[in-house]
Amino acid sequence: MGRANMLETVLRRNALGRELQAFLATKPPPLPNLLATARPQEVLVFMQSQFILGHAGSLLPGMTDPVASPSGVSGALSHFATLFEELGRRGPYDETTGSGNPCDSHEVKRYKQGYTRVLQEAGYQESSAVPLVTSQDALSSLGG
């Protein structure tokens, strides 16, 4: 990965982290209202209430509003997992102690799977950002 891509990734991750922190800050105590204390539940409420529509790009048949793609949801959760690790929240989330990474939890994994399945059932098809060429096209471009 080039330096420009690495910088872009860090900037995107930090921007998402600021969004999540701003959302958490609106929650009154005793709810966890910091990245350092967030649980999987807060991450998932943010994803469903803020991220899905706020980072929308896919309008599906039968839906009135565009929604985030499954890869966008997965990417955001990956960014959050890295942010939590940077805060020292490593390993699977433990509900009893509140320790570990909230994105490394059964709830978050099921959410990602379910979100993908719901969108696929609604007609979403993942597409490559860069069109793939056939082997014949590749050979032709090489003069073969």
Side-chain angles (χ1 to χ4, degrees):
M1 181 183 286
R3 285 184 186 211
N5 287 339
M6 286 174 50
L7 177 59
E8 185 178 313
T9 299
V10 170
L11 293 174
R12 186 175 302 125
R13 181 171 55 239
N14 290 343
L16 282 170
R18 285 189 299 275
E19 284 184 50
L20 178 57
Q21 181 55 62
F23 170 78
L24 292 171
T26 67
K27 305 301 167 213
L31 292 175
N33 57 8
L34 299 169
L35 289 172
T37 57
R39 303 170 299 180
Q41 295 92 320
E42 283 79 40
V43 173
L44 295 178
V45 169
F46 169 80
M47 291 300 294
Q48 195 63 32
S49 68
Q50 306 294 310
F51 184 86
I52 299 299
L53 296 176
H55 295 267
S58 301
L59 183 60
L60 300 173
M63 292 187 167
T64 57
D65 294 315
V67 294
S69 69
S71 62
V73 166
S74 181
L77 290 169
S78 177
H79 283 312
F80 291 144
T82 300
L83 283 171
F84 288 122
E85 285 180 18
E86 289 173 348
L87 290 171
R89 300 188 69 183
R90 293 180 179 84
Y93 183 76
D94 182 338
E95 187 73 38
T96 306
T97 63
S99 64
N101 192 324
C103 292
D104 187 359
S105 67
H106 183 69
E107 296 92 344
V108 170
K109 290 173 186 163
R110 296 231 4 183
Y111 176 80
K112 281 182 7 181
Q113 292 169 347
Y115 186 80
T116 299
R117 185 174 52 252
V118 165
L119 261 64
Q120 287 172 342
E121 289 172 359
Y124 178 82
Q125 293 181 343
E126 196 77 45
S127 62
S128 174
V130 178
L132 299 175
V133 296
T134 64
S135 56
Q136 185 62 42
D137 291 337
L139 285 174
S140 296
S141 69
L142 295 173

